[in-house]
Amino acid sequence: EPEVTQTPSHQVTQMGQEVILRCVPISNHLYFYWYRQILGQKVEFLVSFYNNEISEKSEIFDDQFSVERPDGSNFTLKIRSTKLEDSAMYFCASSEDGMNTEAFFGQGTRLTVV
Amino acid sequence: QKEVEQDPGPLSVPEGAIVSLNCTYSNSAFQYFMWYRQYSRKGPELLMYTYSSGNKEDGRFTAQVDKSSKYISLFIRDSQPSDSATYLCATPSSNTGKLIFGQGTTLQVKP
Protein backbone atom coordinates (compact mmCIF):
# COMPACT_ATOMS: atom_id res chain seq x y z
CA GLU A 1 0.00 0.00 0.00
CA PRO A 2 1.41 3.42 -0.95
CA GLU A 3 2.54 5.54 1.97
CA VAL A 4 4.13 8.87 2.79
CA THR A 5 7.66 8.42 4.11
CA GLN A 6 9.61 10.91 6.18
CA THR A 7 13.24 11.14 7.18
CA PRO A 8 14.80 11.39 9.64
CA SER A 9 12.49 10.01 12.32
CA HIS A 10 14.27 12.07 14.97
CA GLN A 11 16.52 15.08 14.61
CA VAL A 12 18.33 16.91 17.40
CA THR A 13 19.77 20.30 16.54
CA GLN A 14 21.28 23.25 18.30
CA MET A 15 19.37 26.52 18.48
CA GLY A 16 20.21 28.71 15.52
CA GLN A 17 21.10 25.83 13.22
CA GLU A 18 19.33 25.03 9.96
CA VAL A 19 17.44 21.78 9.54
CA ILE A 20 15.90 20.11 6.54
CA LEU A 21 13.10 17.64 6.99
CA ARG A 22 12.44 15.30 4.09
CA CYS A 23 9.32 13.65 2.77
CA VAL A 24 8.43 11.39 -0.11
CA PRO A 25 4.70 11.82 -0.82
CA ILE A 26 2.52 9.18 -2.47
CA SER A 27 3.55 9.08 -6.12
CA ASN A 28 0.32 10.10 -7.90
CA HIS A 29 -0.59 12.80 -5.38
CA LEU A 30 -0.52 16.42 -6.42
CA TYR A 31 -1.03 18.30 -3.12
CA PHE A 32 1.58 18.29 -0.41
CA TYR A 33 1.45 19.59 3.14
CA TRP A 34 3.46 20.13 6.28
CA TYR A 35 1.86 20.08 9.71
CA ARG A 36 3.30 20.50 13.17
CA GLN A 37 2.29 19.05 16.52
CA ILE A 38 3.82 20.38 19.69
CA LEU A 39 3.73 17.78 22.46
CA GLY A 40 0.27 17.59 23.99
CA GLN A 41 -1.24 20.02 21.50
CA LYS A 42 -3.34 19.72 18.38
CA VAL A 43 -2.02 19.12 14.89
CA GLU A 44 -1.47 22.52 13.21
CA PHE A 45 -1.29 23.32 9.52
CA LEU A 46 1.90 24.96 8.29
CA VAL A 47 1.82 25.04 4.51
CA SER A 48 0.29 23.52 1.40
CA PHE A 49 2.09 23.11 -1.92
CA TYR A 50 0.64 22.53 -5.35
CA ASN A 51 1.98 22.86 -8.87
CA ASN A 52 5.44 23.73 -7.57
CA GLU A 53 4.38 26.65 -5.46
CA ILE A 54 2.94 27.43 -2.04
CA SER A 55 -0.84 27.52 -2.26
CA GLU A 56 -1.56 28.43 1.33
CA LYS A 57 0.42 29.03 4.50
CA SER A 58 -0.38 29.67 8.14
CA GLU A 59 0.81 32.44 10.42
CA ILE A 60 3.31 29.99 11.89
CA PHE A 61 5.01 29.64 8.50
CA ASP A 62 7.12 32.76 8.68
CA ASP A 63 10.34 33.72 6.89
CA GLN A 64 12.41 31.12 8.73
CA PHE A 65 10.48 28.34 6.99
CA SER A 66 10.64 27.30 3.36
CA VAL A 67 9.49 24.35 1.30
CA GLU A 68 10.82 22.86 -1.86
CA ARG A 69 10.16 20.03 -4.24
CA PRO A 70 13.70 19.59 -5.59
CA ASP A 71 12.85 16.65 -7.83
CA GLY A 72 9.89 14.54 -8.83
CA SER A 73 9.65 12.64 -5.57
CA ASN A 74 10.96 14.61 -2.60
CA PHE A 75 9.28 17.41 -0.66
CA THR A 76 11.32 19.24 1.94
CA LEU A 77 10.74 21.64 4.82
CA LYS A 78 13.67 23.85 5.78
CA ILE A 79 13.85 25.74 9.04
CA ARG A 80 16.58 28.32 8.66
CA SER A 81 17.47 29.28 12.21
CA THR A 82 15.84 26.97 14.70
CA LYS A 83 14.42 28.18 17.99
CA LEU A 84 13.60 26.20 21.10
CA GLU A 85 9.89 26.59 20.37
CA ASP A 86 10.33 24.82 17.02
CA SER A 87 10.66 21.55 18.94
CA ALA A 88 7.71 19.45 17.77
CA MET A 89 6.62 16.56 15.58
CA TYR A 90 6.53 17.59 11.94
CA PHE A 91 4.22 15.65 9.66
CA CYS A 92 4.19 15.59 5.90
CA ALA A 93 0.95 14.74 4.14
CA SER A 94 -0.25 14.37 0.59
CA SER A 95 -3.54 14.12 -1.24
CA GLU A 96 -4.57 13.41 -4.77
CA ASP A 97 -6.92 16.33 -5.23
CA GLY A 98 -6.82 18.84 -2.37
CA MET A 99 -10.02 19.19 -0.39
CA ASN A 100 -11.87 16.68 -2.55
CA THR A 101 -9.83 13.68 -1.46
CA GLU A 102 -8.43 12.32 1.74
CA ALA A 103 -4.99 13.27 3.01
CA PHE A 104 -2.44 10.67 4.08
CA PHE A 105 0.23 11.41 6.65
CA GLY A 106 3.75 10.23 7.19
CA GLN A 107 5.03 8.94 10.51
CA GLY A 108 6.62 12.27 11.33
CA THR A 109 9.98 13.72 12.24
CA ARG A 110 10.53 14.55 15.88
CA LEU A 111 12.58 17.73 15.97
CA THR A 112 14.31 18.59 19.23
CA VAL A 113 16.03 21.97 19.44
CA VAL A 114 18.50 22.28 22.31
CA GLN B 1 -15.21 30.04 18.75
CA LYS B 2 -12.85 27.27 17.68
CA GLU B 3 -13.51 25.90 14.22
CA VAL B 4 -13.39 22.26 15.30
CA GLU B 5 -13.91 21.22 18.90
CA GLN B 6 -13.38 17.87 20.47
CA ASP B 7 -13.46 16.69 24.05
CA PRO B 8 -9.88 15.61 24.85
CA GLY B 9 -11.00 12.95 27.31
CA PRO B 10 -9.42 10.68 28.38
CA LEU B 11 -12.13 8.13 27.74
CA SER B 12 -11.72 4.71 29.34
CA VAL B 13 -13.94 1.75 28.38
CA PRO B 14 -13.85 -2.03 28.91
CA GLU B 15 -12.99 -4.29 26.02
CA GLY B 16 -16.05 -5.04 23.87
CA ALA B 17 -17.79 -1.76 24.62
CA ILE B 18 -19.26 0.53 21.99
CA VAL B 19 -17.32 3.78 21.87
CA SER B 20 -18.75 7.09 20.74
CA LEU B 21 -16.35 9.90 19.83
CA ASN B 22 -17.65 13.31 18.86
CA CYS B 23 -16.69 16.64 17.34
CA THR B 24 -18.49 19.86 16.64
CA TYR B 25 -17.61 22.40 14.02
CA SER B 26 -18.53 26.01 13.51
CA ASN B 27 -18.53 26.62 9.76
CA SER B 28 -21.54 25.28 7.87
CA ALA B 29 -19.50 25.42 4.63
CA PHE B 30 -17.39 22.46 5.74
CA GLN B 31 -18.40 19.44 3.68
CA TYR B 32 -15.76 16.75 4.06
CA PHE B 33 -14.85 15.16 7.36
CA MET B 34 -12.11 12.77 8.34
CA TRP B 35 -11.31 10.68 11.37
CA TYR B 36 -7.70 9.84 12.09
CA ARG B 37 -6.22 7.53 14.69
CA GLN B 38 -2.90 8.55 16.21
CA TYR B 39 -0.74 6.34 18.37
CA SER B 40 1.74 8.03 20.66
CA ARG B 41 4.45 9.87 18.72
CA LYS B 42 3.24 8.48 15.40
CA GLY B 43 1.58 10.07 12.40
CA PRO B 44 -2.21 10.35 12.04
CA GLU B 45 -3.63 7.29 10.30
CA LEU B 46 -6.75 7.84 8.22
CA LEU B 47 -9.71 5.80 9.44
CA MET B 48 -12.78 7.29 7.79
CA TYR B 49 -13.52 9.92 5.16
CA THR B 50 -17.06 11.20 4.72
CA TYR B 51 -18.82 13.77 2.64
CA SER B 52 -21.86 15.76 3.77
CA SER B 53 -24.51 14.22 6.01
CA GLY B 54 -25.20 10.57 6.70
CA ASN B 55 -23.44 7.45 7.83
CA LYS B 56 -20.48 5.51 6.53
CA GLU B 57 -19.48 2.12 7.83
CA ASP B 58 -16.15 0.28 7.59
CA GLY B 59 -15.83 -2.86 9.64
CA ARG B 60 -16.19 -1.98 13.31
CA PHE B 61 -16.12 1.74 12.57
CA THR B 62 -19.08 3.98 11.67
CA ALA B 63 -18.74 7.67 10.90
CA GLN B 64 -21.78 9.88 11.16
CA VAL B 65 -22.26 13.47 10.05
CA ASP B 66 -25.17 15.65 11.09
CA LYS B 67 -24.80 18.93 9.20
CA SER B 68 -27.91 20.45 10.73
CA SER B 69 -26.27 20.43 14.17
CA LYS B 70 -22.66 20.61 12.89
CA TYR B 71 -21.86 17.41 14.74
CA ILE B 72 -19.71 14.49 13.63
CA SER B 73 -19.30 11.16 15.38
CA LEU B 74 -17.20 8.05 15.19
CA PHE B 75 -18.55 4.83 16.66
CA ILE B 76 -16.34 1.87 17.39
CA ARG B 77 -18.10 -1.45 17.97
CA ASP B 78 -16.57 -4.32 19.94
CA SER B 79 -13.68 -2.13 21.04
CA GLN B 80 -10.29 -3.80 21.45
CA PRO B 81 -7.22 -2.86 23.53
CA SER B 82 -5.48 -2.18 20.21
CA ASP B 83 -7.98 0.64 19.62
CA SER B 84 -6.34 2.55 22.48
CA ALA B 85 -5.08 5.72 20.80
CA THR B 86 -5.94 9.35 20.22
CA TYR B 87 -8.73 9.95 17.71
CA LEU B 88 -8.66 13.14 15.70
CA CYS B 89 -11.45 14.66 13.70
CA ALA B 90 -10.48 16.96 10.84
CA THR B 91 -12.03 18.88 8.00
CA PRO B 92 -10.53 20.62 4.96
CA SER B 93 -11.16 24.33 5.36
CA SER B 94 -10.09 25.56 1.94
CA ASN B 95 -9.66 24.44 -1.66
CA THR B 96 -6.03 23.65 -0.97
CA GLY B 97 -7.09 20.84 1.34
CA LYS B 98 -5.69 22.52 4.45
CA LEU B 99 -6.99 20.45 7.38
CA ILE B 100 -8.27 21.85 10.63
CA PHE B 101 -8.00 19.34 13.44
CA GLY B 102 -9.81 18.93 16.69
CA GLN B 103 -7.83 18.57 19.89
CA GLY B 104 -8.12 14.77 19.75
CA THR B 105 -9.81 12.38 22.19
CA THR B 106 -7.61 9.89 24.00
CA LEU B 107 -9.25 6.47 24.25
CA GLN B 108 -8.15 3.64 26.48
CA VAL B 109 -9.74 0.22 26.06
CA LYS B 110 -9.06 -1.98 29.08
CA PRO B 111 -8.81 -5.77 28.67
Side-chain angles (χ1 to χ4, degrees):
Chain A
E1 186 174 316
E3 60 180 10
V4 177
T5 57
Q6 288 185 245
T7 55
S9 56
H10 188 197
Q11 172 104 36
V12 181
T13 189
Q14 293 214 323
M15 193 168 53
Q17 294 297 303
E18 175 183 287
V19 294
I20 297 176
L21 310 183
R22 291 182 164 79
C23 169
V24 179
I26 295 173
S27 61
N28 64 327
H29 285 187
L30 301 178
Y31 291 77
F32 313 117
Y33 310 90
W34 285 101
Y35 290 82
R36 180 180 81 174
Q37 187 176 32
I38 294 170
L39 189 63
Q41 297 187 23
K42 62 165 57 178
V43 177
E44 301 175 289
F45 169 80
L46 291 177
V47 66
S48 61
F49 192 86
Y50 171 72
N51 200 26
N52 281 319
E53 61 182 21
I54 290 174
S55 48
E56 189 172 359
K57 60 183 181 179
S58 71
E59 292 174 354
I60 303 167
F61 194 88
D62 60 22
D63 291 344
Q64 69 162 335
F65 291 93
S66 62
V67 288
E68 195 176 37
R69 187 154 163 83
D71 53 42
S73 59
N74 290 284
F75 180 52
T76 62
L77 174 69
K78 183 191 291 186
I79 309 175
R80 248 181 289 283
S81 178
T82 50
K83 306 171 192 167
L84 294 175
E85 54 264 37
D86 293 329
S87 296
M89 288 289 288
Y90 288 81
F91 297 110
C92 175
S94 68
S95 74
E96 198 173 342
D97 188 23
M99 74 178 298
N100 299 312
T101 55
E102 54 269 61
F104 295 89
F105 282 73
Q107 287 302 299
T109 294
R110 182 155 62 105
L111 177 65
T112 303
V113 182
V114 296
Chain B
Q1 184 183 10
K2 293 179 184 175
E3 291 187 280
V4 178
E5 295 205 55
Q6 192 175 2
D7 185 340
L11 180 63
S12 183
V13 301
E15 183 175 354
I18 296 174
V19 176
S20 171
L21 304 165
N22 307 296
C23 284
T24 58
Y25 61 95
S26 59
N27 191 336
S28 57
F30 293 158
Q31 300 226 39
Y32 298 88
F33 303 94
M34 303 173 200
W35 282 97
Y36 289 88
R37 178 173 61 197
Q38 186 179 31
Y39 294 111
S40 181
R41 300 201 176 219
K42 298 291 185 184
E45 173 195 4
L46 182 67
L47 283 177
M48 300 289 279
Y49 172 71
T50 56
Y51 170 70
S52 198
S53 282
N55 291 358
K56 182 176 181 180
E57 191 173 314
D58 185 1
R60 296 186 294 112
F61 298 92
T62 299
Q64 189 173 79
V65 176
D66 181 348
K67 293 205 78 182
S68 62
S69 56
K70 301 194 191 76
Y71 199 82
I72 58 176
S73 302
L74 179 71
F75 299 96
I76 307 174
R77 287 184 298 283
D78 187 26
S79 55
Q80 303 294 309
S82 58
D83 294 327
S84 299
T86 297
Y87 289 81
L88 311 171
C89 59
T91 183
S93 63
S94 69
N95 290 337
T96 69
K98 164 193 169 182
L99 291 176
I100 297 176
F101 282 85
Q103 181 72 22
T105 300
T106 299
L107 170 68
Q108 183 180 26
V109 181
K110 295 184 175 179

